[in-house]
Every structure is written in structure tokens, then in C-alpha cells.
Amino acid sequence: MQLKNKDLLGIEQLSIDEILSIIETARSFQEVATRTVKKVPTLRGKTVINLFFESSTRTRTSFEIAGKRLSADVINISQSGSAVEKGESLLDTAKNLEAMGPDIIVCRHKASGAPHILAKHLKSSVINAGDGAHEHPTQALLDMMTILDYKKKIEGLKVAIVGDIAHSRVARSNIIALKKIGAKVTVVGPCSMIPKEVEKLGVKVSHDLCSGIENTDVIMMLRIQKERLGLTPFPTLREYARLYGLNLAKLKSAKKDVTIMHPGPVNRGVEIDPEVADGPYSVILDQVANGVAIRMAVLYLLSGENPGRGVL
Ligand code: CP
């Protein structure tokens, strides 16, 4: 299987078949993590540049591990220490890096659309690792994989996404993926954190946590995106935590076998209590583990490496 486009810029561009094929390919790579020597030669001779111009722990590390487990040469570049600090533009930086012959450039940037500009001007494949408040496609893919692990299906599930929907690329990518596959999505949060006309994406809106998560199969909690806020959207964090923080008492509104997700980083005691984040319904660390397999699959499928043969 090959992806239709040379780049992965958003969930929007993927068909349901492509989403499910990426997850299936990721499952075939999961076994590599259980080996004593966690490495396969699949991308030997390929070069991946991770261009992270915004902070990241999970995405950056998992793209690096994914590339290395596939035997690609992986180079990491962050804004600090790069020539961007001397005034070079993102596009000039990327064109100069491309002159060194990478196969894939992974880009995280605070500006929505930054990876799209690179994709338009570069021959290398570009993967969006999170652009501003726009999209975070590999997060949504690993989230779909995790939901399938626990619920065996996505179609028909009731999913609540809670928190700062307006500034969250994770929310946007997940809404698009969930709706494509046929889940029923409710977004929950204060008015200041719900984008205008979000209903056009096919979701319901609730401003009350307990009714918004009533009878849900899956709850995705989001942190407040302080780095993307102009004005403070809420009087105090304490007030926000009281109304929208998920604790054991509020969790009783959801189904008994509810699955709790969070893309991280978690602000314990704000959007989620430690008893919930570390409790029996939480799959937060499974999401992180699946992130490596999903990024291996995406690197492999975009690398142009002999799509007809087995992946290992
Ligand atoms: N989920 C996520 O994107 O986390 P990082 O910002 O740590 O990469």
C-alpha cells in the first residue's frame, strides 16, 4: 500500500482506507519494540530530518526512535542553535537542508500552514508533526489506533473531547478522523474555548462537563494551550479545574468501561486529576507507545520503499 500524496499534512487529506492501512502497518511494526535488538533494516540508506521549531517531548522523541528503529539516518534540528536565530526563513532553512539530500522532513512549527509551505517547495516528503492550532495528523492516527485497541471499532462510538478545543490541533485532527470513520463526537468546554461554527464539523457542543460526557465510550482530555492564547479565556485555573477538570466523581457520568485519553503534556489537577490520569481507564501511556509504531508506519509508507514487500 502507498499513500496517495507525497506528504502527510493533515487527516483531512487521508481516506478512511489510508487511515486504516497506516494503523495496520503500525501494528506490523509493534513487534519490533519487543525485540532485544529493536531495529529492522527497512529504511537503511534513507535520511530523515526532524525540524522541530516548537517544543515537543513525545512527537519529537517518537519520530527519532521510529526512524532509528527503521535504520534511517535521523538528524534533529531545533530552532535554538539553528540559523533561524540569525534571521534565516523557515523555507530557506528547509531548502538548504534539502540540498543535503534528505528523503523525509518532519516539521513542527507554531505557525499553522508552515509544513504546507515546505511541502509545496520541496521534493522531499514532508510530515506535519503539529502546526499551530491547525492539525497534528500523527497524533490522531495514534489515537485512532489506541481506540481500536480498546474498543475494537470506532464507528458508532460516543466520544467527548474536553477542554481548549479552539486552540488545539489535536482536537481538530481527531474530530476529522473520528467523523470520517463514523463516531459521534461532542466537544465540551467554556464558550471561550469552543470555536465558532464548530458544529459545521459535525460535532455536538456542550458547556457542561457531566452532561457532555454522559454515556460516552471515550473521553479525550486536552490541556489549555497557554502558548496560543491572546487573552486569558478563563478567570482562574482553579475555576477552570472546578468546572472542566475530570475527577472520579464526574467520571461516573460516562460509561462504566470508558476509555480516558490525553495527548500530553498533562497538567495534573487542572484538566485531569491524578486519580483519573493514572487510573484503570486511562490509556495515556498506550497512546505514547502507539505513537512510535504509527510514526514508523508513516515514515515507511512515505519513503517510497518497495511498497509491495513485507515491512520487516
Ligand atoms: N502530543 C504531543 O504532541 O506531545 P508533544 O508536544 O510532547 O510532542
Side-chain angles (χ1 to χ4, degrees), residues 219-238:
I219 304 175
M220 294 183 175
M221 299 304 297
L222 301 172
R223 76 183 170 91
I224 301 172
Q225 307 274 307
K226 286 190 207 129
E227 69 276 28
R228 278 182 249 292
L229 298 175
L231 298 169
T232 313
F234 221 77
T236 64
L237 280 185
R238 212 167 129 197

Side-chain angles (χ1 to χ4, degrees), residues 52 55-60 108 129 136 139 169-170 263-265 295:
F52 274 66
S55 58
S56 168
T57 296
R58 282 146 287 270
T59 313
R60 179 178 172 148
R108 168 168 287 196
H136 193 349
Q139 179 70 45
R169 55 196 175 209
V170 174
R295 284 154 187 144

Side-chain angles (χ1 to χ4, degrees), residues 53-88:
F53 282 4
E54 195 189 54
S55 58
S56 168
T57 296
R58 282 146 287 270
T59 313
R60 179 178 172 148
T61 310
S62 58
F63 264 115
E64 181 171 356
I65 290 175
K68 287 181 172 170
R69 285 195 181 157
L70 292 169
S71 300
D73 296 313
V74 181
I75 291 93
N76 296 307
I77 297 176
S78 43
Q79 179 153 330
S80 163
S82 80
V84 167
E85 293 199 322
K86 298 177 189 167
E88 187 170 55

Side-chain angles (χ1 to χ4, degrees), residues 122-136:
L122 302 182
K123 289 192 185 70
S124 319
S125 289
V126 175
I127 300 174
N128 181 0
D131 62 324
H134 179 226
E135 274 233 40
H136 193 349

